[in-house]
Amino acid sequence: MTASSEARETALLAAQAAADKLATDVAIVDVSERLAITDAFVLASAPNERQVQAIVDEVEERLRQHGVKPVRREGVAESRWVLLDFVDVVVHVQHAEERAYYALERLWKDCPTIPFVDRAAPQGDAAAPGTATLSADDIDPASADPTPLAPAPGDGATAGGGPLQDEDPSAPEAAGR
């Protein structure tokens, strides 16, 4: 027996709501053959507690708009692993560290998955489903290229704000900066 069409629809709505709030590694696992208490798990990750809470709020709001309310919420106070129980669907929103540690996908690896593709994700060969693309604004220039930038002519500072390469940092002129 696979997840009911209603459970699949609810899981897909929850997954899209999570993805819309920038959840990472969004997945849906059909646990209906292994568990009698629910049909599907929606798994989503976030890099910090604040993002976990934003995802949880969005999932609840989006499903509430479709007439689905959680019967139980757990972990909201800590926002490290929040569980939203919608009876047929259980949503797990985890901090990335908890997601890696508990590895729910590994625990339920014998269960089929329900395909989910974020509708906001780029389509085609540019990006495969589940992968993120970075723009130039997303990259820290200090870590992207370890080569220091040369100062502009007549500029007395370097890109890093430290002394010039040929200056002695212990010299009295450098100490006055």
Side-chain angles (χ1 to χ4, degrees):
M1 179 174 133
T2 61
S4 69
S5 61
E6 184 178 312
R8 291 172 67 89
E9 182 180 329
T10 301
L12 288 167
L13 280 169
Q16 187 60 57
D20 289 348
K21 281 296 179 179
L22 306 179
T24 56
D25 300 324
V26 179
I28 305 172
V29 181
D30 181 343
V31 295
S32 59
E33 293 182 14
R34 302 278 185 233
L35 291 176
I37 58 173
T38 194
D39 283 351
F41 285 162
V42 175
L43 310 174
S45 302
N48 57 57
E49 291 85 356
R50 188 177 225 171
Q51 190 70 28
V52 167
Q53 191 58 51
I55 294 165
V56 167
D57 292 345
E58 183 66 19
V59 168
E60 279 190 287
E61 179 60 29
R62 187 84 50 94
L63 292 182
R64 189 170 283 120
Q65 290 172 358
H66 287 86
V68 182
K69 295 179 184 175
V71 295
R72 191 173 73 225
R73 303 167 77 214
E74 294 184 18
V76 176
E78 299 84 20
S79 293
R80 298 283 298 178
W81 180 350
V82 178
L83 181 142
L84 299 172
D85 185 351
F86 294 96
V87 182
D88 290 341
V89 175
V90 176
V91 178
H92 298 267
V93 182
Q94 298 175 297
H95 189 286
E97 293 171 0
E98 270 70 7
R99 180 81 179 260
Y101 182 80
Y102 290 102
L104 294 178
E105 294 93 339
R106 186 175 46 85
L107 292 173
W108 297 99
K109 68 182 176 193
D110 58 338
C111 295
T113 60
I114 296 172
F116 167 72
V117 177
D118 181 3
R119 67 175 179 249
Q123 301 298 317
D125 295 334
T131 62
T133 57
L134 296 176
S135 71
D137 294 334
D138 296 327
I139 300 172
D140 178 12
S143 64
D145 183 5
T147 307
L149 298 173
D155 188 7
T158 63
L164 294 174
Q165 296 288 4
D166 55 357
E167 247 182 18
D168 179 7
S170 61
E173 300 84 35
R177 280 191 249 193

